[in-house]
């Protein structure tokens, strides 16, 4: 079967290779824990369906890891694309200091021993 030569198909194949080569190690349990810890889009607070978003994009050397992935709504994820997060948040007039403070708090919560064993944290 011949490979598609469309621009989108070529981009998808290149991105798949970049992600595989990046050494990404985010497990499904960690992704569940991240979604529970944030509870909504990390950038705008939207409660809709959430996607994995790398704070440091794959194209800029980021990886899918516990420290680099946040949940994002489709709109924020598409808008951010491969932009640097703080510059993008300033352009969109989103609350950058609140995001950064929350990101640090969530990371410290996720790095607890319970999360290291793969058990998602519970919210009280």
């Amino acid at each position: 079967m011949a490979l598609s030569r469309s621009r989108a198909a070529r981009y998808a194949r290149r991105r798949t290779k970049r992600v595989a080569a990046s050494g990404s190690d985010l497990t499904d349990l960690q992704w569940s824990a991240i979604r529970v810890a944030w509870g909504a889009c990390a950038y705008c607070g939207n409660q809709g369906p959430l996607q994995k978003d790398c704070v440091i994009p794959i194209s800029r050397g980021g990886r899918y890891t516990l420290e680099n992935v946040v949940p994002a709504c489709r709109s924020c994820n598409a808008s951010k694309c491969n932009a640097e997060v703080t510059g993008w948040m300033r352009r969109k007039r989103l609350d950058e200091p609140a995001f950064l403070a929350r990101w640090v708090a969530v990371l410290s919560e996720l790095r607890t021993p319970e999360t290291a064993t793969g058990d998602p944290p519970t919210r009280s």
Side-chain angles (χ1 to χ4, degrees):
M1 179 187 236
L3 292 175
S4 174
R5 293 179 181 252
S6 74
R7 183 179 298 163
R10 285 192 313 262
Y11 174 78
R13 285 192 299 274
R14 281 195 314 266
R15 185 175 192 290
T16 300
K17 287 179 185 177
R18 265 196 324 265
V19 169
S22 72
S24 300
D25 62 359
L26 187 72
T27 66
D28 290 337
L29 282 172
Q30 288 174 326
W31 171 235
S32 296
I34 291 169
R35 283 195 327 245
V36 168
W38 281 94
C41 176
Y43 305 122
C44 70
N46 185 354
Q47 296 289 330
L50 300 174
Q51 303 173 344
K52 295 176 192 170
D53 183 52
C54 290
V55 175
I56 301 171
I58 298 287
S59 63
R60 294 179 182 230
R63 303 177 332 163
Y64 282 107
T65 61
L66 185 67
E67 290 82 15
N68 193 42
V69 172
V70 296
C73 66
R74 184 177 179 150
S75 174
C76 286
N77 199 7
S79 172
K80 182 177 164 279
C81 192
N82 69 342
E84 192 270 327
V85 71
T86 55
W88 170 78
M89 290 188 83
R90 286 184 206 129
R91 283 193 307 277
K92 297 291 281 182
R93 300 188 197 283
L94 295 170
D95 193 354
E96 174 193 0
F99 164 75
L100 294 173
R102 178 85 173 113
W103 187 31
V104 169
V106 167
L107 281 178
S108 66
E109 178 184 332
L110 291 174
R111 289 182 184 145
T112 61
E114 300 84 41
T115 306
T117 62
D119 298 330
T122 56
R123 298 207 56 141
S124 305

